[in-house]
Amino acid sequence: MKKYIILAAVCWFAVISLVGVILTFYDKRIAGSGKRRVPEAALMAVGLLGAAGSMYLTMKKIRHKTKHKKFMLGLPAEVLLHILIIAAAVYFSLP
Protein backbone atom coordinates (compact mmCIF):
# COMPACT_ATOMS: atom_id res chain seq x y z
CA MET A 1 0.00 0.00 0.00
CA LYS A 2 2.83 2.42 0.86
CA LYS A 3 4.34 1.76 -2.57
CA TYR A 4 1.23 3.09 -4.28
CA ILE A 5 1.07 6.18 -2.10
CA ILE A 6 4.70 6.97 -2.91
CA LEU A 7 4.10 6.32 -6.61
CA ALA A 8 1.04 8.60 -6.56
CA ALA A 9 3.02 11.35 -4.82
CA VAL A 10 5.88 11.11 -7.33
CA CYS A 11 3.42 11.21 -10.24
CA TRP A 12 1.65 14.21 -8.70
CA PHE A 13 4.90 16.15 -8.28
CA ALA A 14 5.95 15.29 -11.85
CA VAL A 15 2.66 16.41 -13.39
CA ILE A 16 2.24 19.58 -11.32
CA SER A 17 5.89 20.50 -11.96
CA LEU A 18 5.31 20.20 -15.69
CA VAL A 19 2.20 22.38 -15.39
CA GLY A 20 4.21 24.96 -13.43
CA VAL A 21 7.01 25.07 -16.01
CA ILE A 22 4.51 25.42 -18.87
CA LEU A 23 2.68 28.27 -17.09
CA THR A 24 5.98 30.03 -16.38
CA PHE A 25 7.11 29.77 -20.01
CA TYR A 26 3.69 30.89 -21.23
CA ASP A 27 3.68 33.92 -18.92
CA LYS A 28 7.19 34.88 -20.06
CA ARG A 29 6.22 34.48 -23.71
CA ILE A 30 3.18 36.77 -23.53
CA ALA A 31 4.80 39.34 -21.24
CA GLY A 32 4.76 42.71 -22.95
CA SER A 33 2.38 41.58 -25.69
CA GLY A 34 -0.69 43.17 -24.14
CA LYS A 35 -2.40 39.79 -23.84
CA ARG A 36 -3.87 38.62 -20.58
CA ARG A 37 -1.11 37.23 -18.34
CA VAL A 38 -1.18 34.40 -15.84
CA PRO A 39 -2.13 35.95 -12.48
CA GLU A 40 0.67 35.96 -9.90
CA ALA A 41 -1.68 34.34 -7.39
CA ALA A 42 -2.23 31.45 -9.81
CA LEU A 43 1.51 30.98 -10.27
CA MET A 44 2.06 30.94 -6.51
CA ALA A 45 -0.85 28.52 -6.03
CA VAL A 46 0.59 26.08 -8.57
CA GLY A 47 3.90 26.37 -6.76
CA LEU A 48 2.20 25.59 -3.46
CA LEU A 49 0.57 22.53 -5.00
CA GLY A 50 4.03 21.10 -5.66
CA ALA A 51 5.65 22.94 -8.56
CA ALA A 52 7.64 25.50 -6.55
CA GLY A 53 11.05 23.93 -7.18
CA SER A 54 10.66 23.51 -10.90
CA MET A 55 9.09 26.97 -11.27
CA TYR A 56 11.90 28.62 -9.30
CA LEU A 57 14.57 26.97 -11.43
CA THR A 58 12.68 27.83 -14.62
CA MET A 59 12.25 31.46 -13.60
CA LYS A 60 15.96 31.76 -12.85
CA LYS A 61 16.91 30.09 -16.14
CA ILE A 62 14.66 32.21 -18.38
CA ARG A 63 15.01 35.37 -16.25
CA HIS A 64 11.32 35.73 -15.58
CA LYS A 65 10.06 37.52 -12.46
CA THR A 66 13.52 37.38 -10.90
CA LYS A 67 13.11 40.94 -9.56
CA HIS A 68 9.89 40.00 -7.77
CA LYS A 69 10.67 39.13 -4.15
CA LYS A 70 7.30 37.41 -3.97
CA PHE A 71 8.65 34.71 -6.28
CA MET A 72 12.35 34.68 -5.44
CA LEU A 73 11.60 34.28 -1.73
CA GLY A 74 8.13 32.75 -1.86
CA LEU A 75 8.90 29.80 -4.10
CA PRO A 76 11.94 28.64 -2.06
CA ALA A 77 9.77 28.98 1.07
CA GLU A 78 7.20 26.73 -0.58
CA VAL A 79 9.95 24.22 -1.42
CA LEU A 80 10.98 24.22 2.24
CA LEU A 81 7.36 23.65 3.23
CA HIS A 82 7.16 20.68 0.84
CA ILE A 83 10.35 19.22 2.31
CA LEU A 84 8.98 19.58 5.85
CA ILE A 85 5.68 17.93 4.90
CA ILE A 86 7.45 15.03 3.21
CA ALA A 87 9.84 14.62 6.15
CA ALA A 88 6.93 14.61 8.60
CA ALA A 89 5.04 12.07 6.50
CA VAL A 90 8.08 9.78 6.41
CA TYR A 91 8.75 10.24 10.13
CA PHE A 92 5.20 9.51 11.20
CA SER A 93 4.88 6.51 8.89
CA LEU A 94 7.87 4.74 10.44
CA PRO A 95 7.05 1.82 12.76
Side-chain angles (χ1 to χ4, degrees):
M1 183 64 166
K2 283 185 184 181
K3 256 194 315 192
Y4 297 114
I5 293 172
I6 292 169
L7 179 62
V10 168
C11 288
W12 171 258
F13 277 104
V15 169
I16 199 67
S17 292
L18 181 61
V19 169
V21 168
I22 290 169
L23 283 175
T24 303
F25 271 109
Y26 175 75
D27 193 54
K28 170 73 173 184
R29 184 171 178 228
I30 63 172
S33 70
K35 293 181 182 178
R36 188 176 175 125
R37 305 258 319 260
V38 178
E40 289 186 353
L43 290 171
M44 291 301 289
V46 171
L48 191 58
L49 289 173
S54 63
M55 289 175 69
Y56 179 79
L57 293 174
T58 301
M59 286 179 178
K60 293 290 274 188
K61 182 74 175 173
I62 66 174
R63 297 180 184 169
H64 184 55
K65 296 198 180 283
T66 56
K67 293 182 180 179
H68 295 254
K69 288 184 181 181
K70 176 188 230 178
F71 291 98
M72 293 299 105
L73 298 176
L75 290 174
E78 288 178 358
V79 170
L80 182 59
L81 177 65
H82 296 148
I83 291 169
L84 292 174
I85 290 170
I86 292 167
V90 169
Y91 177 79
F92 288 113
S93 71
L94 294 175

